[in-house]
Amino acid sequence: MSPKQEEEVAKLHTVAQADIPVQIVYQPLERWSVETPDKTALIAVDGTYTYRELNARINRIAHTLIAKGVRRGDRVVVLLPRTSAVICCLYGVSKTGAAYIPCDPAYPAERIKLITEDSGAKYVITTQDKAAEYGEKAIVADELMNSTAADTNPGVDVQPDDTVYLIYTSGSTGRPQWPQNSANAGLSKPQWGQRFVEKPEVVFDAFSVFFAFSLVQPDRESRNVSTIKIRT
């Protein structure tokens, strides 16, 4: 090879290094509620929220859950349909330091029972019509959504390696498997967000909504922030 070709080949062996900032999944939302408070953050079948409104609602939910005894390391099932409540409750649970377990009400009854009983959850956040099925473990979502608790960030000492959510899979044995994901999951790939913000709106299905604020990150220069839609 010529000296120029050798130089080009050598470049292929260069190892790029970069510091990747560690963020907890809800921290971008908290930041945007200050930097872009009036930007539309969420569009759901039952309402639209700005970043300021959404973060405040989530904070009230988190404070209410903490008052009920939810602590870092606990598990909370979120059994809700696709409304704004599902986003608010998922993030509300995360801000307490607990791990949420998503459960779609459309699942077969036996699967829902398996998830709620086998997960070791402290509470089940659900709708009024299902609350009686879970007794003292039930928390009605409307109670959380209408809470008058403080709307400040709770400031729980959540660590990047804490479990933020668990997903049920049936597994080959027929018993549930519980893959766990840490609190900085989805935030270690900033390029994903830079690509997503090219679109003014991003649509998410049922429980992939959790990834909305971790994957759709703002352009640090233009402060361009996407709006999340929940597909019904």
Side-chain angles (χ1 to χ4, degrees), residues 60-77:
R60 287 192 288 270
I61 289 173
H63 282 294
T64 303
L65 291 172
I66 290 169
K68 289 180 177 292
V70 177
R71 297 291 182 264
R72 180 181 168 197
D74 287 340
R75 297 177 176 184
V76 178
V77 170

Side-chain angles (χ1 to χ4, degrees), residues 130-153:
K130 294 184 179 297
E133 300 176 29
Y134 303 102
E136 294 181 354
K137 281 191 173 185
I139 298 178
V140 177
D142 285 347
E143 174 191 346
L144 297 176
M145 292 293 284
N146 296 319
S147 171
T148 57
D151 62 5
T152 54
N153 295 327

Side-chain angles (χ1 to χ4, degrees), residues 14 79 154 174 188:
T14 301
L79 177 62
S188 59

Side-chain angles (χ1 to χ4, degrees), residues 151-170:
D151 62 5
T152 54
N153 295 327
V156 176
D157 185 26
V158 179
Q159 296 298 307
D161 291 333
D162 288 349
T163 298
V164 69
Y165 69 95
L166 299 92
I167 299 293
Y168 168 91
T169 60
S170 59

